[in-house]
């Protein structure tokens, strides 16, 4: 905590094309700010991830009217995890709480997060017991993703946790040293360790608008999570090769028995040749694809490009010139 001052709570929120949710979000944040004003200092760090609607204009107006609000606009859409990292880079709080802009993460749950922090937790995860407003297919795919991720990864992030969490300054400093490009933040936070607590809650339907996570984005997100935290996909090459080899070996034994015991050959050489080509060709291509996925990520990391660029900022109630990348932690 800051010596001689009230503890500072930073709320970090990312936005992308959320113009219809801005009025509800602004009202909820003003209520939060008033609720904690007595015991804590409060700041709101809102990051616009290159929205194409009027989100930034509304966000800048909100920040100009309230000095507790810092608004940041990225130069383009870099993705939710990069935008969230930008917010974390900028947050100054003794406690940092990240939330979604659509208010599916209920502000009233913040009390429970703060209570767990007071009890000594460095990181407080939230776990979605129920997910209102989401289709059956999305719920099923999310459930299976978390099962697979838990099985193959080394992260201790609880299943069905999202990016609604609390981190104290100690754990946040540790997190900010992790600058990998393909980011699965909830897994990264779980991988760090520290003393953790879990708060269950029911996730509400969106206050307005639609989810920006398309199926392609969710698939890419799942790939980032699994590949970033496990080499298990590479081991699948060995597993599949063993299965294929066993299958071909069994077939070879069968053909030999037919030849020597029955004195005949099923189809002279053709079946075994085609079977071997198809099976081993398929698994060779699969193995190359998996290796290529990892090599591509190594290539991305070797380029060492910044995670994001900032185009505009509003802090302390005024529009300020921003360096394109002012928050990088060395």
């Amino acid at each position: 905590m800051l010596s001689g001052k009230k503890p500072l709570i930073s709320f970090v929120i990312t936005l992308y094309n959320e113009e219809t949710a801005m009025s509800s979000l602004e009202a909820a944040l003003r209520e939060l700010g008033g609720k904690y004003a007595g015991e804590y200092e409060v700041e709101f760090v809102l990051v616009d991830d290159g929205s194409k609607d009027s989100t930034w204009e509304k966000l800048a107006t909100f920040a100009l009217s309230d000095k507790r609000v810092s608004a940041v606009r990225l130069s383009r859409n870099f993705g939710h995890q990069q935008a969230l990292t930008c917010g974390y880079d900028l947050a100054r709080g003794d406690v940092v709480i990240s939330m979604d802009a659509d208010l599916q993460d209920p502000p009233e749950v913040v009390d429970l997060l703060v209570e767990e922090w007071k009890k000594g937790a460095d990181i407080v995860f939230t776990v979605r017991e129920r997910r209102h407003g989401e289709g059956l297919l999305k719920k099923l795919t999310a459930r299976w993703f978390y099962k697979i991720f838990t099985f193959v990864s080394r992260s201790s992030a609880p299943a069905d946790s999202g990016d609604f969490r609390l981190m104290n300054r100690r754990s946040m400093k540790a997190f900010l040293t992790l600058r990998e490009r393909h980011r699965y933040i909830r897994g990264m936070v779980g991988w760090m360790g520290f003393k953790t607590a879990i708060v269950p809650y029911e996730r509400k339907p969106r206050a307005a608008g639609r989810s920006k996570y398309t199926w392609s984005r969710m698939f890419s997100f799942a790939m980032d999570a699994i590949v970033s935290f496990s080499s298990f996909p590479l081991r699948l090459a060995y597993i599949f090769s063993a299965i294929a080899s066993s299958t071909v070996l069994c077939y070879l034994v069968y053909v030999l028995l037919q030849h020597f015991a029955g004195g005949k050959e099923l189809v002279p050489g053709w079946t075994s040749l085609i079977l071997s080509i198809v099976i081993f060709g398929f698994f060779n291509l699969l193995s190359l694809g998996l290796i290529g996925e990892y090599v591509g990520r190594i290539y991305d990391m070797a380029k060492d490009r910044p995670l994001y660029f900032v185009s505009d900022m509003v802090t302390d109630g005024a529009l300020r010139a921003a360096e394109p990348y002012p928050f990088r932690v060395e």
Side-chain angles (χ1 to χ4, degrees):
M1 296 184 184
L2 300 176
S3 178
K5 295 183 179 180
K6 291 189 291 186
L8 174 62
I9 299 180
S10 298
F11 291 91
V12 175
I13 300 169
T14 64
L15 304 94
Y16 178 65
N17 292 342
E18 296 286 0
E19 61 180 3
T20 57
M22 273 302 301
S23 58
S24 300
L25 176 63
E26 182 175 342
L29 295 185
R30 290 189 187 278
E31 183 178 348
L32 270 177
K35 182 177 183 179
Y36 291 101
E39 188 176 356
Y40 303 97
E41 297 288 343
V42 176
E43 72 168 2
F44 302 104
V45 181
L46 307 181
V47 182
D48 177 15
D49 188 20
S51 297
K52 295 178 174 60
D53 58 9
S54 62
T55 297
W56 171 248
E57 288 73 18
K58 294 183 177 182
L59 189 57
T61 300
F62 178 31
L64 289 170
S65 68
D66 192 332
K67 291 186 177 182
R68 298 172 300 178
V69 179
S70 295
V72 180
R73 186 183 194 185
L74 302 188
S75 60
R76 66 169 176 85
N77 178 237
F78 285 90
H80 175 260
Q81 301 294 280
Q82 280 72 12
L84 182 55
T85 301
C86 175
Y88 281 162
D89 286 342
L90 186 58
R92 299 174 293 114
D94 302 289
V95 175
V96 180
I97 300 173
S98 53
M99 304 170 60
D100 282 346
D102 53 26
L103 300 181
Q104 287 186 281
D105 301 330
E108 56 268 24
V109 178
V110 171
D111 286 345
L112 303 178
L113 303 183
V114 173
E115 285 301 317
E116 292 295 335
W117 167 63
K118 287 181 177 180
K119 293 176 183 178
D122 295 304
I123 301 169
V124 185
F125 292 100
T126 61
V127 172
R128 294 165 286 199
E129 290 187 320
R130 298 185 65 184
R131 303 161 69 109
H132 298 286
E134 297 181 359
L136 178 61
L137 181 59
K138 185 172 182 180
K139 292 178 181 178
L140 287 175
T141 53
R143 182 180 303 170
W144 278 106
F145 161 73
Y146 284 112
K147 286 180 180 295
I148 294 171
F149 180 75
T150 301
F151 175 73
V152 303
S153 76
R154 297 179 180 178
S155 173
S156 60
D160 218 14
S161 63
D163 288 312
F164 181 26
R165 74 178 70 84
L166 177 149
M167 299 174 67
N168 66 6
R169 178 47 53 184
R170 180 171 71 148
S171 60
M172 181 57 65
K173 283 183 177 180
F175 173 79
L176 293 179
T177 65
L178 307 177
R179 307 307 290 188
E180 57 203 66
R181 286 192 51 78
H182 298 275
R183 306 178 72 76
Y184 180 63
I185 292 179
R186 64 197 71 168
M188 295 164 67
V189 173
W191 172 85
M192 293 193 306
F194 295 104
K195 185 177 180 181
T196 63
I198 296 175
V199 171
Y201 77 106
E202 292 191 11
R203 198 163 199 236
K204 295 181 178 180
R206 289 179 61 90
R210 295 182 177 181
S211 173
K212 307 309 182 295
Y213 265 95
T214 62
W215 285 106
S216 61
R217 284 196 174 196
M218 286 191 289
F219 177 78
S220 177
F221 190 49
M223 285 295 294
D224 284 343
I226 293 171
V227 175
S228 295
F229 283 90
S230 175
S231 59
F232 180 78
L234 289 176
R235 297 194 187 103
L236 288 177
Y238 297 106
I239 297 172
F240 288 149
S241 296
I243 294 172
S245 299
S246 300
T247 303
V248 173
L249 182 61
C250 291
Y251 178 74
L252 179 61
V253 171
Y254 172 70
V255 170
L256 290 173
L257 287 174
Q258 288 290 326
H259 178 73
F260 290 107
K264 63 179 180 178
E265 191 173 357
L266 296 178
V267 177
W270 187 87
T271 304
S272 58
L273 179 62
I274 292 300
L275 185 64
S276 299
I277 291 173
V278 170
I279 291 178
F280 283 103
F282 169 75
F283 288 120
N284 278 335
L285 291 174
L286 178 63
S287 300
L288 286 173
L290 291 173
I291 293 170
E293 183 71 28
Y294 282 87
V295 171
R297 290 163 188 268
I298 295 170
Y299 175 61
D300 275 348
M301 289 298 295
K303 288 184 289 189
D304 196 30
R305 291 177 179 172
L307 297 177
Y308 57 83
F309 288 108
V310 174
S311 63
D312 300 288
M313 287 182 62
V314 179
T315 58
D316 296 323
L319 182 65
R320 300 180 184 279
E323 293 296 327
Y325 193 64
F327 313 127
R328 185 168 186 173
V329 177
E330 299 295 344

